[in-house]
């Protein structure tokens, strides 16, 4: 038998069934994976199929929708509604929640950003999908307005030189799957993903165009990264697609910063389908997912309880070494700071 072919491919479905013994959760992850494959195909053919440009509409938070935003959203909604295991859906692209018809309803509620970083689509920069999963309690949108402690599964899919799915179950490990185009399946390729034990590469990632709006401890921390910790300056890397920036931070080390500021006092990223799912992944990979100084204290993103489906939150995510630099700047400013 040729060693070029894996006769026992460790697929996504197999992993979920082995670790949960829950057929409905297998169906849910399979439906999500199907939508990721469809989106990956559309992203890969965007130029040829003339899918670049605006769709002429705005989404729930007032952002201009790209053609691929609309297509990706439709692909995810269709896959999840018809999976038979979903009850309520929340998408960044829809102002109101989507209640699955009773004859197709199941026990899971899913929140998602179908195409994160879509402002980068037209210049062919990495984009991705982010999702979080909750179990039904009431069968209403309130089932999704819960903290990260109640999130049973979270993940993201990155569309780039390869299509990679990274996800975790609450209390579990962080696992990575790569789409093998020859068999059309996500195959297990990264096992028990962890931040580098030594902190990894010295990289800080933030939109420095907002520098003048930041509070002083954040300014001081970014200046410290640029001027060097222990005589070693950090490199700046900022893609502008959260999935791409977080994926690099998880694999290489470093820190990703999108804090609350004078312009956006509640932060810029969406809590339910950006902040909480990424926080679950970061923390279970050994990192820190902090709000920074927000609403009078420094807390964990995973402890936030969304008060609306499209509410926002600030984010400081990275390894303990680098988040510690930010915390030290808060301490110097006299702000009570949690231990790492």
């Amino acid at each position: 038998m040729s060693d070029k072919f894996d006769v026992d491919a460790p697929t996504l479905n197999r992993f979920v069934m082995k670790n949960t013994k829950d057929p409905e959760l297998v169906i849910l992850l399979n439906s999500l994976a199907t939508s990721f494959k469809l989106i990956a195909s559309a992203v890969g053919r965007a130029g040829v199929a003339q899918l670049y440009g605006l769709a002429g509409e705005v989404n729930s938070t007032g952002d201009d929708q790209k053609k691929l935003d609309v297509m990706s959203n439709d692909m995810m909604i269709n896959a999840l509604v018809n999976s038979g295991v979903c009850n309520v859906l929340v998408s960044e692209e829809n102002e109101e929640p989507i209640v699955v018809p009773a004859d197709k309803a199941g026990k899971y509620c899913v929140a998602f950003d179908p195409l994160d970083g879509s402002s980068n689509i037209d210049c062919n920069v990495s984009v991705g999908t982010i999702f979080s999963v909750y179990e039904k309690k009431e069968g209403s949108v309130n089932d999704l307005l819960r903290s990260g402690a109640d999130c049973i599964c979270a993940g993201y899919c990155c569309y780039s030189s390869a299509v990679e799915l990274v996800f975790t179950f609450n209390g579990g490990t962080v696992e990575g799957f790569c789409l093998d185009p020859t068999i059309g399946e996500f195959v297990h390729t990264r096992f028990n993903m962890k931040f580098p034990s030594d902190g990894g590469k010295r990289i800080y990632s933030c939109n420095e165009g907002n520098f003048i709006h930041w509070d002083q401890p954040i300014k001081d921390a970014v200046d410290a990264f640029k001027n060097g910790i222990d005589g070693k300056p950090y490199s700046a890397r900022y893609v502008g697609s959260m999935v791409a920036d977080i994926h690099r931070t998880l694999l290489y080390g470093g820190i990703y910063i999108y804090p609350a500021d004078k312009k956006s006092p509640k932060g810029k990223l969406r809590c339910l389908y950006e902040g909480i799912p990424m926080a679950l992944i970061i923390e279970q990979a050994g990192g820190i997912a902090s709000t920074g100084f927000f609403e009078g204290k420094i807390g964990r993103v995973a402890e936030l309880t969304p008060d609306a489906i499209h509410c926002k939150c600030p984010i400081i995510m990275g390894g303990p070494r680098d988040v510690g630099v930010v915390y030290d700047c808060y301490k110097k400013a006299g702000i009570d700071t949690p231990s790492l």
Side-chain angles (χ1 to χ4, degrees), residues 123-138:
C123 60
N124 202 24
V125 171
S126 300
V127 290
T129 301
I130 313 171
F131 66 93
S132 59
V133 180
Y134 293 77
E135 275 201 76
K136 181 185 78 170
K137 282 190 174 181
E138 302 175 5

Side-chain angles (χ1 to χ4, degrees), residues 32 42 57 66 173 190 205 217 225 239 247 268 274 289 339:
L32 285 166
E57 301 172 4
K66 299 294 186 74
T173 55
R190 299 186 191 273
S205 180
F225 292 134
V239 178
H247 192 55
K268 188 72 182 292
E274 290 177 324
S339 58

Side-chain angles (χ1 to χ4, degrees), residues 97-323:
I98 300 153
V99 178
V100 177
D103 62 331
K104 296 181 178 180
K107 68 177 183 179
Y108 293 113
C109 303
V110 185
F112 53 91
D113 181 351
L115 203 62
D116 171 72
S118 57
S119 61
N120 285 321
I121 288 172
D122 293 358
C123 60
N124 202 24
V125 171
S126 300
V127 290
T129 301
I130 313 171
F131 66 93
S132 59
V133 180
Y134 293 77
E135 275 201 76
K136 181 185 78 170
K137 282 190 174 181
E138 302 175 5
S140 73
V141 70
N142 291 331
D143 291 339
L144 284 157
L145 298 181
R146 293 186 275 168
S147 77
D150 292 321
C151 181
I152 65 168
C153 176
Y156 62 81
C157 189
C158 186
Y159 312 109
S160 186
S161 53
V163 179
E164 284 201 69
L165 167 63
V166 174
F167 82 99
T168 187
F169 295 117
N170 200 331
T173 55
V174 179
E175 306 294 330
F177 295 77
C178 190
L179 179 61
D180 182 345
T182 64
I183 61 172
E185 292 284 352
F186 281 97
V187 176
H188 203 178
T189 52
R190 299 186 191 273
F191 303 83
N192 193 14
M193 298 170 69
K194 292 287 186 182
F195 271 87
S197 57
D198 62 353
K201 294 185 178 181
R202 293 171 178 255
I203 298 172
Y204 74 96
S205 180
C206 58
N207 183 354
E208 289 194 71
N210 291 325
F211 188 90
I212 61 171
H213 302 295
W214 293 340
D215 60 30
Q216 194 58 47
I218 294 294
K219 291 180 180 178
D220 292 343
V222 171
D223 281 339
F225 292 134
K226 290 194 289 187
N227 293 325
I229 309 294
D230 300 328
K232 298 178 181 179
Y234 280 47
S235 298
R237 299 284 186 271
Y238 184 68
V239 178
S241 296
M242 186 188 190
V243 167
D245 284 315
I246 289 291
H247 192 55
R248 181 199 59 247
T249 302
L250 177 58
L251 294 178
Y252 292 176
I255 186 168
Y256 175 78
I257 304 171
Y258 216 125
D261 58 29
K262 296 171 186 174
K263 185 174 68 172
S264 303
K266 290 186 176 293
K268 188 72 182 292
L269 299 171
R270 280 68 181 182
C271 185
L272 183 57
Y273 41 81
E274 290 177 324
I276 287 175
M278 288 303 197
L280 200 63
I281 291 168
I282 291 294
E283 289 188 347
Q284 294 188 171
I288 308 294
S290 172
T291 61
F293 189 68
F294 178 54
E295 297 183 340
K297 65 177 183 178
I298 297 174
R300 293 170 55 224
V301 175
E303 290 180 339
L304 296 175
T305 299
D307 57 10
I309 60 174
H310 299 299
C311 70
K312 299 177 181 180
C313 71
I315 282 173
I316 298 171
M317 295 183 177
R321 179 195 66 190
D322 301 319
V323 175

